[in-house]
Amino acid sequence: GCPEDYASFTSAVPCVVRNAATMVRVSVLGDALKTMYNAEKRGKRQVLLRPASKVVIKFLQLMQKHQYIGEFELVDDHRSGKIVVELNGRLNKCGVISPRYDVGFTELEDWIGRLLPSRQFGIIVLTTSAGIMDHEEARRKRVGGKVLGFFY
C-alpha cells in the first residue's frame, strides 16, 4: 500500500492496543468480595471468583465458619485459579478495608462499633502475627493486627 496509509495505520495502532488492555487489578480480595456481594444482591446461588489467592481462601473459610456462605471449591486453571462459592442468602454486606489499617488490641472495640451494624453479629477480619482471623479470635488471643475487611 501507500506509505502515507501505512504511517496513519501505525499511528492508530497504539490507541487500539491501549484500549484493549484490561484494567489493572488493585485488590484481589476487594474484587472477590465485591463480586460475591453483587451476586448475593442479585439472588444468585453460586458465584465464580477469580483470581484465587491465599488471603481470599482464608477470608472465605472464616465466612464459612460463621455460616455466611456454603461450600466453596478451588478450580485449578494452571493460572492463578478460580473459586466457586455456594451462596446461602445470609450475606448482607461484605467489604475490604483499604488501606489495611493497623489496629491495636485496645482499638478493636472502636472498629467493631464503626464497621459492624450491631455488637451481636458481624465479623471483622484481621491479619495478625498469629495468622488471619476474625475479631473474636483476636480478642481471645489478645492480639492486634491489620484490618483486611468485614462481613455481616
Side-chain angles (χ1 to χ4, degrees):
C2 303
E4 50 269 25
D5 289 349
Y6 179 72
S8 63
F9 172 70
T10 49
S11 65
V13 169
C15 308
V16 175
V17 172
R18 206 173 295 123
N19 294 345
T22 52
M23 285 281 293
V24 174
R25 199 164 261 128
V26 180
S27 160
V28 171
L29 179 64
D31 233 31
L33 294 182
K34 186 60 96 178
T35 306
M36 228 155 63
Y37 174 59
N38 288 342
E40 186 75 82
K41 272 199 302 201
R42 298 272 300 118
K44 298 272 194 281
R45 300 306 301 151
Q46 55 179 198
V47 59
L48 179 71
L49 306 178
R50 61 186 194 89
S53 82
K54 287 192 289 189
V55 174
V56 171
I57 291 166
K58 291 292 280 183
F59 207 101
L60 290 174
Q61 282 168 343
L62 284 173
M63 290 174 112
Q64 202 175 30
K65 187 179 105 183
H66 294 281
Q67 270 114 37
Y68 280 87
I69 60 173
E71 296 295 309
F72 66 89
E73 65 172 316
L74 217 66
V75 182
D76 180 25
D77 57 0
H78 297 295
R79 290 183 189 83
S80 47
K82 298 183 170 95
I83 308 173
V84 178
V85 182
E86 302 287 333
L87 297 173
N88 55 15
R90 294 212 185 108
L91 189 65
N92 295 313
K93 182 100 176 86
C94 61
V96 68
I97 301 296
S98 180
R100 295 177 174 178
Y101 291 106
D102 271 320
V103 178
F105 170 71
T106 47
E107 302 154 41
L108 211 48
E109 291 304 315
D110 312 341
W111 276 89
I112 292 164
R114 229 174 311 157
L115 283 180
L116 303 178
S118 102
R119 300 179 57 79
Q120 269 61 52
F121 72 101
I123 297 294
I124 295 177
V125 182
L126 303 164
T127 173
T128 71
S129 52
I132 293 178
M133 60 182 73
D134 53 39
H135 69 270
E136 292 161 356
E137 192 184 338
R139 199 189 283 150
R140 281 197 303 275
K141 290 185 173 168
R142 301 187 65 83
V143 292
K146 293 183 186 300
V147 187
L148 284 181
F150 63 92
F151 57 89
Y152 53 79

